[in-house]
Amino acid sequence: MSDFPQEGTADPAFADVAEAFRRNFASGAEVGAGVCVYHRGRPVVDVWGGFADEARTDPWRADTLAILASPTKALVAGAALLLVDRGLLDLDTPVAAYWPEFAAHGKAGITLRMVLGHRSGVVCLDHAPITEEHLRAHHPIAEALAAARPEWEPDTAHGYHATTFGHLVSELVRRRTGRTVGAFFAEEIAAPLGLDCHIGLKDPGAAHLATMLESKAEELMAGADPGDGMAMLVALGDPASLTHRAVLGSMSLDLLPDPVVENPSYDGLASARSLARFHASFIGEIDGFRLTTPRTTEQIRTVHSTGTCRTTLLPSTWGLGVMLPDGPMFPAASGLGGAFGLGGANGNFAFADPDHNLAFAYVQNAGTQVIGRIDDRARRLVEAAYRSIGVR
């Protein structure tokens, strides 16, 4: 297990997490990765290893930034909820009260709570697919959202707002603060917490970026296990399906991740250390800063949606902007019974658990071979973290 660079520290009580991390590499499943665990407001695991590049010449560092994929939405949700606590947004006020154009086409009654609970029905932008130019300008996406029609009667069902979530929240943040969600997050959350988390990177030359090496699609086409996601895979291949329209059809085919461009639904960047610290701030003060009040944290972890997701066709449970147990992507069986967080389609995973005063983040660049369930590498690390506090 010594054939890859590994650094960092783990408290003796959490040695099982560091050992699970080493085993992930020993199995050949990793290229580069980091894992960080906070317990009772302090870091108890902060280890990293492997390489940030395909050639395996650039060692992974403590500050290496990985593309988060869906966990980006946790950063966005945190920004919205901070504004709720400051009184600038209200969960149950119609979005159109802040953004009048949004009321068009049956959307007048949609609230921020519905958006955060993935219940608004505004899941498709296939009428105006997102391009890099749209991302840079911001306003074309806001205009497309205002022109969108809900795919179901708002608040009667839930479906993952895969592409639209970050942009819906970003326009609300902009309407209330004059800043996009990336700028607001950088100034009001990342700065006071000292986070290396970004929704749009201002100075990529100053950052150490990991290259995401493999896409799940390539692995699945090569015969890898699709997990519980076969129905979703079939639907993704059908241009008429809601799944395709909400995901692939809502983005230009030539849209690629760009660390400089703000894409608040998918392309956030973070180190494991900073992502864990961010999640810890949901459940307690970190160096004097707490992201959400205890009352709001309880609302975050209250079930707002549960059952079969209309977008992914998988069982899922949502709080406010975050997944809750139980479901294949966020399984209670791994110890997550009181936690909230998000897993990415690329295998990254993060959560906060108020019941056990635990926060966790795992990021990597090898991608994942499964779709529709938690990646096995993340699951082993999560289970080790809970064993370390005597839960499992």
Side-chain angles (χ1 to χ4, degrees):
M1 296 187 185
S2 61
D3 59 346
F4 66 93
Q6 180 182 343
E7 298 183 64
T9 59
D11 279 11
F14 287 81
D16 197 13
V17 179
E19 179 59 26
F21 185 72
R22 287 191 291 271
R23 287 197 300 269
N24 281 345
F25 274 93
S27 71
E30 297 286 26
V31 175
V35 63
C36 183
V37 180
Y38 268 66
H39 188 224
R40 296 173 180 165
R42 68 181 187 89
V44 293
V45 177
D46 187 9
V47 294
W48 57 93
F51 300 93
D53 64 329
E54 187 172 12
R56 304 190 187 216
T57 59
D58 181 14
W60 197 279
R61 305 187 328 213
D63 62 350
T64 296
L65 304 181
I67 297 173
L68 296 180
S70 290
T72 303
K73 295 178 175 71
L75 310 184
V76 170
L81 293 166
L82 179 58
L83 287 175
V84 168
D85 278 338
R86 290 181 177 177
L88 290 173
L89 287 173
D90 181 80
L91 289 168
D92 299 309
T93 294
V95 169
Y98 310 111
W99 177 6
E101 302 92 325
F102 186 75
H105 305 302
K107 302 194 299 298
I110 291 173
T111 64
L112 176 59
R113 188 185 297 276
M114 294 177 202
V115 172
L116 295 178
H118 294 265
R119 301 182 64 80
S120 80
V122 184
V123 296
C124 294
L125 286 175
D126 54 332
H127 60 288
I130 296 172
T131 66
E132 183 173 325
E133 181 182 355
H134 291 171
L135 289 172
R136 291 183 182 277
H138 183 83
H139 65 83
I141 302 175
E143 291 167 1
L145 289 167
R149 297 178 183 274
E151 299 298 324
W152 59 85
E153 184 180 346
D155 209 29
T156 62
H158 81 282
Y160 184 42
H161 293 34
T163 304
T164 59
F165 181 92
H167 300 288
L168 286 165
V169 174
S170 187
E171 181 62 10
L172 274 173
V173 171
R174 191 188 70 81
R175 295 274 171 154
R176 301 304 286 154
T177 71
R179 292 171 281 180
T180 63
V181 73
F184 180 83
F185 181 89
E187 294 165 14
E188 303 291 342
I189 299 175
L193 279 171
L195 300 181
D196 221 351
C197 293
H198 309 270
I199 308 169
L201 192 59
K202 288 186 177 180
D203 186 5
H208 188 238
L209 301 176
T211 301
M212 185 60 69
L213 302 181
E214 301 173 358
S215 78
K216 65 182 185 302
E218 290 167 343
E219 289 294 309
L220 290 164
M221 286 188 290
D225 177 10
D228 299 307
M230 184 57 72
M232 180 169 62
L233 280 175
V234 172
L236 279 171
D238 177 5
S241 73
L242 180 62
T243 305
H244 184 281
R245 292 175 53 230
V247 182
L248 301 179
S250 291
M251 297 181 288
S252 170
L253 293 177
D254 60 357
L255 184 63
L256 295 173
D258 183 336
V260 176
V261 177
E262 189 175 316
N263 183 346
S265 289
Y266 291 118
D267 292 341
L269 298 162
S271 65
R273 173 184 290 175
S274 286
L275 191 59
R277 185 174 174 87
F278 168 75
H279 280 79
S281 74
F282 276 111
I283 58 177
E285 282 195 6
I286 304 297
D287 292 338
F289 181 94
R290 176 164 180 159
L291 180 59
T292 51
T293 64
R295 181 177 180 275
T296 297
T297 300
E298 281 305 306
Q299 292 214 50
I300 291 169
R301 63 195 297 224
T302 298
V303 173
H304 284 72
S305 301
T306 192
T308 300
C309 171
R310 289 202 174 185
T311 306
T312 67
L313 310 179
L314 290 165
S316 61
T317 301
W318 289 92
L320 290 177
V322 289
M323 280 188 167
L324 305 177
D326 197 15
M329 283 295 293
F330 207 80
S334 292
L336 296 162
F340 58 84
L342 276 166
N346 61 357
N348 293 335
F349 196 86
F351 71 84
D353 184 339
D355 293 343
H356 298 100
N357 212 334
L358 192 70
F360 169 99
Y362 160 71
V363 299
Q364 45 70 50
N365 67 342
T368 185
Q369 295 187 4
V370 299
I371 188 170
R373 64 173 170 84
I374 187 173
D375 187 274
D376 288 340
R377 296 161 300 167
R379 177 184 53 77
R380 287 190 284 266
L381 292 165
V382 170
E383 291 174 356
Y386 278 105
R387 283 197 301 271
S388 298
I389 59 173
V391 173
R392 293 176 57 80

